[in-house]
Amino acid sequence: MAFMVKSMISSQVKNLGFGGGSEEQKEEGGASDPAAAHGMTREEYEEYQKQVIEEKMERDAAFTQKKAERACLRVHLREKYRLPKSEMDENQIQMAGEDVDLPEDLRKMVNEDQEEEEDKDSVLGQLQNLQNMDLDTIKEKAQATFMEIKQSAEQKCSMM
């Protein structure tokens, strides 16, 4: 009777997902082979496990490389805008081990931005900005400012 109660309780616990009946299954079923459970021979299963591990290592390496590239981009942006450095980014770059550089498309974008800034800072860039301005508007503003100054000067002089 006690055996039957124990059996009922363990099957109920197993059904709940707590794994209480796993010991009895091992006793009844014997040693379970993971290769047999997957329908493979032992050698095929070992080869499969090696392949899974290699693929995981490749994915992890690619992920670490991407993280390092992103960290490199953040370092470049921090240098460009004179922001404080981040130890986390430097650590990610070091974890990648090899030389980490910006991805090709991001490098092109950074180079284009630098060229645009250099053009804007040059004398020719300033001259081009002047050409883009409306000269009539500038003349009108200058004349209005001159008239205001002239009127205020006349008012001050007439008081004296």
Side-chain angles (χ1 to χ4, degrees), residues 81-113:
Y81 296 109
R82 297 184 183 125
L83 298 173
K85 293 182 179 180
S86 170
E87 288 184 30
M88 185 179 72
D89 288 341
E90 292 174 6
N91 291 340
Q92 285 180 344
I93 293 171
Q94 289 176 355
M95 283 175 36
E98 54 197 54
D99 281 339
V100 178
D101 203 9
L102 293 175
E104 188 67 31
D105 52 348
L106 292 177
R107 188 177 314 123
K108 287 179 184 177
M109 290 171 49
V110 169
N111 290 339
E112 288 173 3
D113 287 346

Side-chain angles (χ1 to χ4, degrees), residues 35-67:
H38 290 284
M40 301 180 204
T41 64
R42 185 65 146 169
E43 293 81 25
E44 289 174 339
Y45 184 74
E46 288 175 2
E47 184 64 30
Y48 171 75
Q49 288 297 331
K50 286 179 186 178
Q51 186 179 12
V52 168
I53 291 170
E54 288 175 5
E55 289 173 358
K56 183 182 183 322
M57 290 173 59
E58 289 174 7
R59 285 193 310 270
D60 289 345
F63 180 70
T64 303
Q65 180 69 23
K66 286 288 186 188
K67 282 176 67 174

Side-chain angles (χ1 to χ4, degrees), residues 6-154:
K6 181 181 176 189
S7 170
M8 289 174 45
I9 292 174
S10 66
S11 66
Q12 289 175 353
V13 170
K14 182 176 76 173
N15 290 339
L16 291 174
F18 294 109
S22 62
E23 296 165 0
E24 289 182 18
Q25 283 182 350
K26 287 182 182 177
E27 291 174 6
E28 293 174 9
S32 64
D33 188 18
H38 290 284
M40 301 180 204
T41 64
R42 185 65 146 169
E43 293 81 25
E44 289 174 339
Y45 184 74
E46 288 175 2
E47 184 64 30
Y48 171 75
Q49 288 297 331
K50 286 179 186 178
Q51 186 179 12
V52 168
I53 291 170
E54 288 175 5
E55 289 173 358
K56 183 182 183 322
M57 290 173 59
E58 289 174 7
R59 285 193 310 270
D60 289 345
F63 180 70
T64 303
Q65 180 69 23
K66 286 288 186 188
K67 282 176 67 174
E69 288 174 355
R70 291 182 192 121
C72 187
L73 175 64
R74 288 191 296 269
V75 166
H76 282 287
L77 290 174
R78 283 191 176 100
E79 288 175 3
K80 179 179 179 180
Y81 296 109
R82 297 184 183 125
L83 298 173
K85 293 182 179 180
S86 170
E87 288 184 30
M88 185 179 72
D89 288 341
E90 292 174 6
N91 291 340
Q92 285 180 344
I93 293 171
Q94 289 176 355
M95 283 175 36
E98 54 197 54
D99 281 339
V100 178
D101 203 9
L102 293 175
E104 188 67 31
D105 52 348
L106 292 177
R107 188 177 314 123
K108 287 179 184 177
M109 290 171 49
V110 169
N111 290 339
E112 288 173 3
D113 287 346
Q114 286 177 347
E115 289 173 6
E116 286 177 14
E117 287 180 15
E118 289 171 1
D119 289 344
K120 288 180 183 177
D121 292 340
S122 69
V123 174
L124 292 175
Q126 296 298 327
L127 289 175
Q128 286 178 342
N129 284 341
L130 288 176
Q131 288 176 350
N132 293 338
M133 299 177 95
D134 185 17
L135 292 179
D136 292 332
T137 306
I138 295 172
K139 285 180 187 178
E140 290 174 7
K141 287 182 181 179
Q143 287 176 349
T145 305
F146 180 72
M147 295 299 286
E148 289 175 15
I149 294 172
K150 184 178 175 183
Q151 288 175 353
S152 65
E154 288 174 354

